[in-house]
Amino acid sequence: MAAGKGAGKPASLWDNMRIRFVVCFLGVFVCYFYYGILQETITRGNYGQEKFRFARTLVLIQCIVSVLFAKILIHFFEGSKPDLTKSWLYGLCSLSYLGAMVSSNSALQYVNYPTQVLGKSCKPIPVMILGVTILRKKYPLAKYLCVLLIVGGVALFLYKPNKSSTVADDHIFGFGEILLLASLTLDGLTGVAQDHMRARFQTSANHMMLNINMWSTLVLGLAVLWTGEVWEFVGFAERHPSIFYNIVLFGLTSALGQTFIFMTVVYFGPLSCSIVTTTRKFFTILGSVILFGNVMSNMQWVGTILVFLGLGLDAKFGKSPKKTTH
C-alpha cells in the first residue's frame, strides 16, 4: 500500500481510507449532535422576558473559536508547512459559505422548518452538478445513483403529506423557495472552490479551516459592529452570565466538528462531505425517532431503506477511479 516509501515501515490504521472515512463521519456526527443541543439551549433558553436574538454574533463567536482551534492544530501538527492557496480564493469560499447560511436561515421566515431541512438535504446535487460543469469533474455512474438514493431517501423520510399548511400567499412561498435555491447554489459554489483548492494547491484541512473562518470573522465582525448587535449581545450576556458556559462549549464543539468536516473535504472531496452532513441530519432525526418511541410511517421506512442502500452502494461502488500516470 505504501510501496516505494520506506520499505518495511508498517502502514498505520489512519492510512486505511475506510477507517479514515468512518472516523470523519463519526466525528461530524458526534460533534454536531451535541452542537445542535447546545444551539437550541442557547437560542431557546429561559431568559425571563427576553429572547436570544443574536444569531450573527453567535456565528461570529463560533468562527473566532474555530480560528484559534485551527491555529493550534497548525502549530502542533503542521509546523512551518507553507500554504500556497490564494487569499482571494479563501475570501470567495467564505462569502459563498456565509451566503448559503444566511439564505437558508432567511428562508425560515417564509417556509416552515421541515421544508427548509428538506431543501438543504438536496445539497449533494448542486455540489455534484457544479463540480461537473465548472471543474469538469468526472464521477462514476454509481456515484450519481448513490446521491439520488440518499437525497430521495432523506426527502421521503422528512416529507409529511398530511400536514396542514396555511400558505395563503404564493409569492411569499415562492420567495422562500428562491432563497433555498440560492442557498443550494452557493453550497455548490463553495464545493467548487474547495475542490479547486485541494486539486490546485493541495490545501490542508487546517489551513482551509483557518482561512475560511478568518474571512468569515472579518465579514461578520463588520456586520455586527455596523448594526450594533455585538453591544446588545454584551449587555444580554451580562444580565444572563450563565450563557457563557454554553457558548464556550458551543464554540468548541463547532470547531471540533469543523475540523472533521474540512478533513472530509480534503481527503474525500466536497461531494462526499455533503453526503456525510446530509446523512448526519438523517441519523440525528432517526435517532430521535427511535429513542423517543415515535411511530414511523411506511414512507419513512422506505426513505430509511433508500438512505442505507445509497450509503452501502456508495461505500462499495461510488469511489472515483484512481488517476493513472502515462
Side-chain angles (χ1 to χ4, degrees), residues 118-267:
L118 184 62
K120 291 294 284 184
S121 70
C122 299
K123 179 180 175 180
I125 293 178
V127 171
M128 175 176 277
I129 291 174
L130 291 180
V132 170
T133 56
I134 296 178
L135 297 179
R136 299 292 189 265
K137 287 182 68 68
K138 293 183 179 179
Y139 298 104
L141 183 61
K143 196 72 169 180
Y144 294 94
L145 175 61
C146 297
V147 168
L148 289 176
L149 284 173
I150 292 168
V151 170
V154 174
L156 284 176
F157 191 88
L158 294 174
Y159 183 57
K160 294 180 174 58
N162 297 325
K163 186 172 180 178
S164 60
S165 176
T166 57
V167 180
D169 191 337
D170 290 337
H171 173 72
I172 292 178
F173 181 75
F175 188 57
E177 289 180 326
I178 290 172
L179 286 171
L180 283 175
L181 182 61
S183 178
L184 289 170
T185 303
L186 289 168
D187 281 330
L189 291 174
T190 301
V192 167
Q194 290 174 333
D195 245 336
H196 183 67
M197 288 181 204
R198 62 193 287 264
R200 178 76 181 273
F201 303 103
Q202 289 77 50
T203 311
S204 73
N206 296 327
H207 279 113
M208 193 180 291
M209 177 178 172
L210 171 66
N211 287 280
I212 289 177
N213 278 287
M214 282 182 66
W215 278 92
S216 300
T217 298
L218 176 62
V219 174
L220 287 170
L222 292 173
V224 297
L225 285 172
W226 177 264
T227 60
E229 180 183 307
V230 64
W231 309 119
E232 295 177 18
F233 169 77
V234 170
F236 180 88
E238 287 178 348
R239 292 189 297 275
H240 307 282
S242 60
I243 199 175
F244 282 111
Y245 176 74
N246 286 330
I247 285 180
V248 170
L249 285 179
F250 176 79
L252 290 174
T253 53
S254 170
L256 190 57
Q258 280 194 42
T259 302
F260 286 109
I261 279 183
F262 284 113
M263 282 169 57
T264 308
V265 169
V266 168
Y267 293 137

Side-chain angles (χ1 to χ4, degrees), residues 26-45:
L26 291 177
V28 171
F29 179 84
V30 172
C31 291
Y32 279 100
F33 183 81
Y34 192 41
Y35 167 92
I37 294 173
L38 289 168
Q39 185 179 45
E40 187 167 3
T41 302
I42 293 169
T43 58
R44 303 185 66 179

